[in-house]
Amino acid sequence: MNTRRTLFTVAAAALFGFAGAAHAQGEPLRVATDATFPPMEFVENGKRTGFDVELVEAVGKTLGRKIEWIDIDFKGLVPGLISKRFDMAVSAIYITDERKKVVDFTVPYYAGGLVVMVKDGNTAIKAPADINGKKVSVQVGTKSVAFTKEKYPQVQLMEVEKNQEMFNLVDIGRADAAVTGKPAAYQYVRTRPGLKVLPEQITTEEYGMAIRKDTPELTKAVNGAIEKLKADGTYAQIEKKWFSANAK
């Protein structure tokens, strides 16, 4: 993470970053997401909401650009970005070396990671290592797939398209566990009694906003906006709203 700067330095950096994108002010910023991953992004009462959604909207306001949301399956986010279908992809995307080969990322804006979710009465899986040999649901296109295969080679993976399907398989007993991102796992167990997240985390990962490599001025501008939102307390307010009740 970047070291903390003084408010003056942040303001100066932000102004410099925004200058590169000044020509775009007023134009919509097209942002793609897969709004099926609460509390990061999801649809409630017919409206997109969540931590990522509110943070991106705040970034857009800081940049003076309206956010134009585009809904797409998670596995299509990076390919769609590369093919210029949108300007930015924000959907709890882990910053990985593999992804950095094809897209740029902003500064990390939240630290998550992979965890294991099981039924509350499951005594066979007490630690992540216990999923070996068990049926484990994962969402296709996410880091959970390759990482689980590599780390726990005896696991029986059940790959599904949507996050909700992954949780449902555990809920109805067709899967023994799910390996998924920490924020979504805690959000789900709060709303569905009888499920729990194992206290031992598998990984600690950082989320970043993905931007095309041919628009470095946008990356700089968004980084400046994130710094400004952290400096003026807006980021802390959004984080508290969505994660203050999460177990750590």
Side-chain angles (χ1 to χ4, degrees), residues 39-44 47-51 53-54 241-242:
M40 302 302 280
E41 47 270 319
F42 61 106
V43 175
E44 186 174 66
K47 182 181 178 182
R48 247 181 250 93
T49 188
F51 177 77
V53 174
E54 289 198 13
K241 174 180 177 179
W242 292 103

Side-chain angles (χ1 to χ4, degrees), residues 12-22 63 217-218 220-222 224:
L15 287 172
F16 179 78
F18 300 158
L63 295 176
E217 72 284 349
L218 179 59
K220 184 179 294 185
V222 174

Side-chain angles (χ1 to χ4, degrees), residues 177-229:
V179 172
T180 188
K182 174 182 175 180
Y186 277 114
Q187 171 78 3
Y188 194 78
V189 299
R190 282 201 301 269
T191 60
R192 295 295 292 263
L195 297 167
K196 66 179 180 181
V197 178
L198 299 187
E200 183 183 342
Q201 202 162 311
I202 298 177
T203 67
T204 298
E205 309 283 351
E206 292 180 316
Y207 295 129
M209 300 181 184
I211 301 175
R212 292 198 311 274
K213 286 185 173 293
D214 64 349
T215 57
E217 72 284 349
L218 179 59
T219 304
K220 184 179 294 185
V222 174
N223 279 338
I226 293 172
E227 292 280 4
K228 183 177 184 299
L229 293 170

Side-chain angles (χ1 to χ4, degrees), residues 103-216:
V103 298
D104 284 339
F105 281 98
T106 61
V107 292
Y109 66 88
Y110 188 76
L114 297 178
V115 295
V116 177
M117 188 192 80
V118 298
K119 278 195 170 182
D120 202 20
N122 190 327
T123 57
I125 301 177
K126 298 179 180 179
D130 296 333
I131 68 173
N132 252 331
K134 303 292 194 302
K135 293 179 180 178
V136 177
S137 57
V138 291
Q139 184 183 12
V140 65
T142 66
K143 186 174 182 178
S144 302
V145 180
F147 188 87
T148 304
K149 282 180 181 177
E150 179 182 352
K151 180 88 173 173
Y152 309 104
Q154 296 173 15
V155 85
Q156 300 174 50
L157 279 189
M158 302 174 72
E159 298 184 42
V160 296
E161 290 288 333
K162 294 292 184 182
N163 203 50
Q164 187 65 42
E165 297 176 68
M166 172 181 61
F167 291 139
N168 285 344
L169 288 176
V170 179
D171 220 358
I172 65 177
R174 286 189 57 198
D176 300 303
V179 172
T180 188
K182 174 182 175 180
Y186 277 114
Q187 171 78 3
Y188 194 78
V189 299
R190 282 201 301 269
T191 60
R192 295 295 292 263
L195 297 167
K196 66 179 180 181
V197 178
L198 299 187
E200 183 183 342
Q201 202 162 311
I202 298 177
T203 67
T204 298
E205 309 283 351
E206 292 180 316
Y207 295 129
M209 300 181 184
I211 301 175
R212 292 198 311 274
K213 286 185 173 293
D214 64 349
T215 57

Side-chain angles (χ1 to χ4, degrees), residues 52-116:
D52 280 347
V53 174
E54 289 198 13
L55 183 58
V56 170
E57 290 286 353
V59 166
K61 185 176 180 181
T62 302
L63 295 176
R65 300 182 65 176
K66 182 181 182 345
I67 303 300
E68 181 181 301
W69 289 101
I70 298 168
D71 295 299
I72 188 172
D73 285 345
F74 190 90
K75 64 183 179 182
L77 289 170
V78 171
L81 184 60
I82 295 171
S83 63
K84 302 185 179 182
R85 290 180 57 190
F86 32 84
D87 306 309
M88 187 162 71
V90 185
S91 198
I93 303 173
Y94 288 141
I95 300 173
T96 66
D97 290 337
E98 194 65 25
R99 286 173 177 155
K100 285 196 291 186
K101 292 177 183 177
V102 293
V103 298
D104 284 339
F105 281 98
T106 61
V107 292
Y109 66 88
Y110 188 76
L114 297 178
V115 295
V116 177

